[in-house]
Amino acid sequence: MPEPTEERLSYRLITGPDTRDFCERISNALAEGYVLHGSPSATFNGTDVIVAQAVVLPAAVASADAAVANAVDELENDEDEAAFEGHA
């Protein structure tokens, strides 16, 4: 696995013509520890099929999931407290 020259981004959208080179770029990202995120997209520009695939680092997904879970917990706690305001 090649060493990155700078800090890896948590999210990348890889785009390009639907060629072997594009597939190699996706394969390299997977080898670097990224995972596919969502379905690929494709369009036709009149000459070539252009494709796109999002990739994310698993740690970024886990961090985002934890942040969402915490936000939901906070909302539920706020709703519970508001439901009991003014009640004896």
Side-chain angles (χ1 to χ4, degrees), residues 64-75:
D65 287 349
V68 169
N70 288 338
V72 168
D73 287 345
E74 289 178 16
L75 283 173

Side-chain angles (χ1 to χ4, degrees), residues 6-62:
E6 58 186 53
E7 184 176 334
R8 295 188 299 168
L9 298 172
S10 297
Y11 171 90
R12 292 172 53 196
L13 180 63
I14 300 172
T15 62
D18 187 14
T19 62
R20 179 180 177 89
D21 179 62
F22 176 81
C23 293
E24 288 174 355
R25 292 171 58 206
I26 298 296
S27 294
N28 288 339
L30 297 174
E32 292 172 1
Y34 285 90
V35 294
L36 300 176
H37 183 70
S39 299
S41 296
T43 189
F44 183 68
N45 69 1
T47 306
D48 300 306
V49 174
I50 306 299
V51 289
Q53 176 64 60
V55 294
V56 295
L57 290 173
V61 174

